[in-house]
Amino acid sequence: MVETIPLDPSAYKEWLDKMRAIYDRLLRRAGKIEEESDEDDEEWHYRDFTADDVDVEEVEIKDTRVLPDTMTVYVYEIDLDDEVFWVNGMPLFRLDCMPTAEVFLEVLSKDHYGHFATKVSMPSEHAYRIAAPAQPPSEQDLSSYESLQGSTNVGTDIHELLGVAKQPSPADRVRIRLYEIIAGLSMSSFQFVSRLLASQIAPSAPSTIPPFITATAKFMVFRAFLPMAFHPDIALSSEKWIEELERGRRGEGERMLWLRPDVCFSAGFYLEHDEHLRAAVGRMVREIHRASKNKKNGVVYGIICSLFHCVIVRVQLDSGSGGSFQHTPALQFLPFRFAESPSTPGITALLRLASKYDDLLSETVLSKSPFKSKPGASQVPASTYIDRLPAKPVARIAAFIPNLMTLLAFASLNPTTAAQANHELSFPFIGDHHLLQASDPDNGDRALARGKFVAMDARGRTRTVRVQGMGPDDTMYDTKQRFGSECYSVFTYTPNPRRAAFVLQAEPSLY
């Protein structure tokens, strides 16, 4: 079928029109699209074709892209809408400039996550095209940016913008490394990457961000602000929490999600284009001022994320001068498909911003644990002997508690124990393993979706553990059968969590 695609531009255009007409007709027969009202025009489209051109009995119409599974090893797709040739859910070639069979086999390769891709040596004329923005950005959004341009500082050093130390703390290093594994786990899923790349191919208006980008960016950004406590008795589901935050929030500010009283999120797209980046920042700054009109002074942070890039915005509220803002450039967020390292500036910036709110860790985890306050119960804990201890001994006690549930029981005693437990909760828990230090990857090991950590188990023993995970591509296996019972959900990116759950597992390393 590929050999029937003409190489001559005029012949290709005629072929494309005819092929689109044939399949439109099949869709109308199946009731997927409405019949055309102009019968003469329809007859003109199909006059050169008979029923033998496509055997309707052999055509199966699906509503989603077909991907390989246990019974289908290869799926080849001729995309007549966006004029792209796909292999196993990955876009590879321009349909109007397909390579010869020899070149096809020569350049076909796989990326560092195991998905089909083309080699760098492939002639550029065969590469599929990434769509440019369909429309210019909003003039109102650009005006919002330009109105305060004199007091902005683009490309500010991220540490200065966030007000954090140049060097991350030991807890920051562990959390950044674990988040890199979560990002790598997403990139290892061909379902995830297929939808991610598809969002780049079909042009969209700046105000119409692909729903997949909006939903997934929201989950991934919010995941950074949740404590990294993965445990069967802790209900830290990003989806449920986001639903709670969004419940009842409708109207002008609904494009922004407030993760904290002074931190908001908005999905973005085309952030690599300067004018679209400025428009996205301008829109966020305008809406921050609108939402904070009763707040005379202070700092509000905004995060704009497209999954490909993220931008951190710092808005200084000032009732006297009207305020000012600063923002980073578009920072790479998810790793490239041929990444040698799991680290990206966007992930690091996001996790450093989230770490500014570590004093809320105990409160957050306790609110989703068996130790949360019962409705109607007194908010003042009963007095205990620990109330008489200074903060330092309480912190030492917390450091010797290796089990997450015991630590939470300790944190629930009074405000002092809760405050001192924050430090221990800043280091991730995966089941019975308390991750204390990220180990360097082995020589020659990119470790894009897995990693080793020094951890303490529930009995207080220090050991090296391996952290890995699985995603929706592995649903052919029973999760517990493959990983045992000790695997914990990270987040999902579709409404069906059974098929789209990303889970993590920590187990003692054999090496």
Side-chain angles (χ1 to χ4, degrees):
M1 191 169 182
V2 170
E3 290 176 348
T4 67
I5 303 175
L7 298 177
D8 177 75
S10 59
Y12 169 79
K13 179 65 169 59
E14 182 180 356
W15 171 86
L16 182 65
D17 289 342
K18 289 179 179 179
M19 293 300 291
R20 285 174 171 173
I22 289 173
Y23 287 100
D24 278 349
R25 188 174 191 181
L26 293 177
L27 289 172
R28 274 191 289 275
R29 288 182 184 179
K32 296 289 185 179
I33 58 176
E34 295 181 0
E35 291 282 352
E36 291 183 3
S37 58
D38 189 345
E39 294 295 334
D40 292 336
D41 184 56
E42 184 178 338
E43 178 61 28
W44 181 87
H45 275 298
Y46 303 116
R47 64 187 179 188
D48 296 331
F49 300 95
T50 68
D52 294 333
D53 288 306
V54 177
D55 189 342
V56 181
E57 298 299 325
E58 294 185 1
V59 173
E60 181 181 359
I61 299 176
K62 294 182 177 289
D63 294 322
T64 57
R65 170 163 281 112
V66 177
L67 297 173
D69 54 32
T70 53
M71 302 299 294
T72 307
V73 181
Y74 292 101
V75 176
Y76 301 99
E77 178 184 339
I78 295 176
D79 182 348
L80 299 173
D81 290 315
D82 299 314
E83 300 178 59
V84 175
F85 186 83
W86 301 63
V87 176
N88 281 15
M90 299 295 142
L92 295 185
F93 306 114
R94 285 178 57 168
L95 204 57
D96 63 347
C97 192
M98 286 292 293
T100 63
E102 291 76 16
V103 173
F104 183 106
L105 294 174
E106 180 183 339
V107 302
L108 193 62
S109 182
K110 289 190 175 182
D111 64 21
H112 291 171
Y113 295 93
H115 311 307
F116 275 111
T118 54
K119 296 178 181 177
V120 178
S121 60
M122 183 186 72
S124 59
E125 62 266 23
H126 299 308
Y128 73 91
R129 289 169 288 194
I130 295 176
Q135 299 174 8
S138 161
E139 287 296 331
Q140 181 187 16
D141 295 340
L142 286 173
S143 296
S144 297
Y145 185 92
E146 301 298 337
S147 64
L148 288 173
Q149 187 176 19
S151 57
T152 64
N153 188 351
V154 183
T156 303
D157 181 271
I158 188 63
H159 309 101
E160 179 184 339
L161 186 143
L162 296 179
V164 297
K166 289 274 187 184
Q167 297 299 322
S169 69
D172 285 343
R173 291 191 183 95
V174 177
R175 283 188 297 194
I176 290 170
R177 182 68 191 97
L178 183 57
Y179 194 95
E180 290 169 352
I181 293 173
I182 293 172
L185 175 59
S186 301
M187 291 295 294
S188 298
S189 163
F190 64 76
Q191 292 189 31
F192 180 95
V193 175
S194 179
R195 298 181 71 181
L196 184 69
L197 299 181
S199 70
Q200 290 185 301
I201 292 174
S204 61
S207 60
T208 310
I209 302 172
F212 170 75
I213 297 295
T214 299
T216 312
K218 186 187 304 181
F219 293 149
M220 294 200 73
V221 168
F222 191 65
R223 176 67 261 177
F225 283 81
L226 286 177
M228 289 190 173
F230 303 99
H231 193 277
D233 296 323
I234 307 297
L236 289 174
S237 164
S238 55
E239 295 92 330
K240 291 183 180 178
W241 207 308
I242 289 172
E243 287 176 7
E244 293 176 12
L245 290 176
E246 291 183 327
R247 190 173 298 129
R249 292 189 59 85
R250 294 292 180 267
E252 292 184 358
E254 67 178 357
R255 283 187 295 189
M256 293 204 310
L257 176 69
W258 288 90
L259 311 178
R260 295 284 186 268
D262 56 351
V263 181
C264 63
F265 158 83
S266 177
F269 211 52
Y270 300 126
L271 297 177
E272 67 274 23
H273 297 268
D274 182 63
E275 62 175 2
H276 290 273
L277 183 152
R278 289 186 286 116
V281 172
R283 179 171 61 251
M284 172 165 276
V285 171
R286 183 179 71 247
E287 297 198 6
I288 285 175
H289 278 290
R290 179 185 296 142
S292 308
K293 58 185 176 182
N294 296 324
K295 188 176 181 180
K296 295 183 178 181
N297 293 288
V299 173
V300 175
Y301 289 98
I303 305 156
I304 307 171
C305 184
S306 69
L307 296 182
F308 300 99
H309 301 91
C310 79
V311 178
I312 308 294
V313 184
R314 184 182 190 272
V315 179
Q316 178 68 56
L317 303 175
D318 188 336
S319 57
S321 63
S324 62
F325 67 92
Q326 300 170 307
H327 68 87
T328 67
L331 304 172
Q332 181 197 349
F333 187 64
L334 288 178
F336 293 129
R337 295 178 63 191
F338 288 92
E340 294 291 340
S341 165
S343 177
T344 68
I347 287 177
T348 300
L350 178 65
L351 270 292
R352 295 302 304 276
L353 174 58
S355 70
K356 289 175 66 70
Y357 300 87
D358 279 1
D359 58 332
L360 301 173
L361 292 175
S362 289
E363 177 186 337
T364 302
V365 182
L366 285 171
S367 70
K368 301 294 180 180
S369 77
F371 303 101
K372 65 183 177 182
S373 299
K374 302 294 188 294
S378 172
Q379 298 301 308
V380 180
S383 177
T384 69
Y385 67 91
I386 294 182
D387 296 335
R388 298 191 294 272
L389 291 178
K392 273 193 174 181
V394 175
R396 289 283 292 166
I397 294 172
F400 279 98
I401 301 176
N403 179 275
L404 175 60
M405 300 310 291
T406 306
L407 179 65
L408 292 179
F410 179 73
S412 68
L413 294 178
N414 60 45
T416 302
T417 58
Q420 298 308 318
N422 278 319
H423 179 265
E424 301 309 315
L425 288 169
S426 66
F427 291 86
F429 279 89
I430 302 181
D432 289 333
H433 297 282
H434 194 188
L435 308 187
L436 303 177
Q437 181 182 332
S439 299
D440 294 330
D442 297 332
N443 292 335
D445 185 3
R446 298 189 194 97
L448 298 176
R450 64 184 186 279
K452 292 180 181 178
F453 296 81
V454 176
M456 186 179 294
D457 66 16
R459 297 172 62 183
R461 297 174 300 183
T462 301
R463 56 178 57 195
T464 299
V465 298
R466 179 180 60 188
V467 175
Q468 59 183 353
M470 63 178 285
D473 304 341
D474 299 303
T475 53
M476 66 188 73
Y477 303 102
D478 177 78
T479 303
K480 290 185 177 181
Q481 179 180 350
R482 182 171 181 188
F483 281 123
S485 59
E486 302 300 315
C487 54
Y488 308 99
S489 177
V490 179
F491 62 86
T492 63
Y493 68 86
T494 73
N496 187 345
R498 183 182 62 82
R499 293 196 60 215
F502 287 93
V503 300
L504 285 175
Q505 179 209 35
E507 63 178 6
S509 176
L510 298 177
Y511 305 97

